[in-house]
Amino acid sequence: KELSDRVAGTLIEQIDHLNQIANEFSQFAQIGESKKELFNMNEAISSVLQLYATNNKLHLIHELLPNPVMIMADKTQINRLFTNLVLNAIQSVPEGSQIIIEVHQHILEDNVLTRITDNGQGINESIKPRIFTPNFTTKNSGTGLGLAMCKRIVEQAEGEIWFETTVGKGTSFFVKIPLAG
C-alpha cells in the first residue's frame, strides 16, 4: 500500500508537470494572436504584485505612477509578462536569503518604462546572449519559455525589453511600452 501511494503520488506530480509544460507551449504559441485593448497597465501590475504581497520572505518595493498608464495591448499577456518577470526575480534569490524586489515606473517620451530589480545572483556573462532564446533555462525544471514569451509579448505591444545585471548583486529587467495616443 505504501509503495502504491508513493507511485500514485509520483505519477500525479509528473502529470501535473507535463500539463504545465503543455500549457506553457500553448501560451507561447498564442502570443501572435493578441487581442489588443485599451487598459490601465498599472492595474495589471498592481494585481500581479498583490499575488506576492503575502509572501513573508519577500520585501516588495513599488513606485508606480500615480495617474492611469493607458496602453494598447493584450491585457492577459501583459499580466503574464509581469507575473513571469516577478517570479523570475524571486527565483533568482538564493534559498534562505531575504528577497527584495523593486518595481519602478517612469514616463519616457511617449512610452512607459517599468523596471523590475531583484537582489538575486545576477546573470553570468556567458549566458546573457541566450536569455530571451526559447527553450533556454538555467533552472532545474521548466521549459525555458518564460523570458522568450516575455520578449514576444513586449514586441506584440510594440515595445522593447532588456536587462542589466551584476553577478552576485542582481538584475534589472526593463520593459518599455508605448502609451496609448
Side-chain angles (χ1 to χ4, degrees), residues 90-138:
I90 290 169
Q91 292 173 344
S92 75
V93 178
E95 185 82 26
S97 298
Q98 171 73 40
I99 304 167
I100 302 170
I101 308 292
E102 296 182 42
V103 181
H104 295 278
Q105 267 185 340
H106 305 284
I107 297 296
L108 190 64
E109 297 173 1
D110 293 333
N111 300 282
V112 57
L113 179 64
T114 306
R115 175 177 46 96
I116 299 174
T117 302
D118 63 59
N119 65 323
Q121 297 286 358
I123 300 169
N124 289 327
E125 195 68 36
S126 63
I127 64 172
K128 280 180 171 182
R130 296 183 290 169
I131 284 298
F132 294 111
T133 303
N135 302 319
F136 174 75
T137 185
T138 59

Side-chain angles (χ1 to χ4, degrees), residues 44-45 47-48 74-84:
I45 293 174
S47 71
V48 168
D74 187 306
K75 190 173 186 177
T76 301
Q77 290 180 5
I78 295 297
N79 268 325
R80 194 174 295 149
L81 163 73
F82 287 107
T83 298
N84 192 57

Side-chain angles (χ1 to χ4, degrees), residues 138-152:
T138 59
K139 299 173 190 168
N140 294 333
S141 63
T143 59
L145 290 177
L147 288 172
M149 192 180 310
C150 287
K151 185 173 184 351
R152 285 187 59 189

Side-chain angles (χ1 to χ4, degrees), residues 13-174:
E13 186 179 310
Q14 291 302 314
I15 289 168
D16 286 346
H17 184 64
L18 290 171
N19 188 39
Q20 180 185 351
I21 290 170
N23 283 336
E24 286 181 27
F25 276 105
S26 174
Q27 290 172 358
F28 188 71
Q30 291 173 2
I31 290 173
E33 304 167 13
S34 66
K35 296 180 182 98
K36 290 187 177 184
E37 61 182 291
L38 181 67
F39 67 96
N40 181 357
M41 187 172 92
N42 283 354
E43 288 177 1
I45 293 174
S46 292
S47 71
V48 168
L49 296 178
Q50 284 176 352
L51 290 173
Y52 298 100
T54 59
N55 184 339
N56 295 337
K57 296 178 184 176
L58 172 62
H59 182 65
L60 193 56
I61 301 163
H62 56 90
E63 193 177 306
L64 301 179
L65 293 166
N67 297 324
V69 176
M70 304 306 289
I71 63 169
M72 183 65 81
D74 187 306
K75 190 173 186 177
T76 301
Q77 290 180 5
I78 295 297
N79 268 325
R80 194 174 295 149
L81 163 73
F82 287 107
T83 298
N84 192 57
L85 290 174
V86 170
L87 184 58
N88 279 1
I90 290 169
Q91 292 173 344
S92 75
V93 178
E95 185 82 26
S97 298
Q98 171 73 40
I99 304 167
I100 302 170
I101 308 292
E102 296 182 42
V103 181
H104 295 278
Q105 267 185 340
H106 305 284
I107 297 296
L108 190 64
E109 297 173 1
D110 293 333
N111 300 282
V112 57
L113 179 64
T114 306
R115 175 177 46 96
I116 299 174
T117 302
D118 63 59
N119 65 323
Q121 297 286 358
I123 300 169
N124 289 327
E125 195 68 36
S126 63
I127 64 172
K128 280 180 171 182
R130 296 183 290 169
I131 284 298
F132 294 111
T133 303
N135 302 319
F136 174 75
T137 185
T138 59
K139 299 173 190 168
N140 294 333
S141 63
T143 59
L145 290 177
L147 288 172
M149 192 180 310
C150 287
K151 185 173 184 351
R152 285 187 59 189
I153 289 168
V154 172
E155 288 171 350
Q156 285 291 319
E158 299 175 22
E160 297 174 53
I161 185 170
W162 68 93
F163 65 94
E164 294 174 1
T165 188
T166 303
V167 174
K169 293 191 177 179
T171 302
S172 293
F173 276 87
F174 298 86

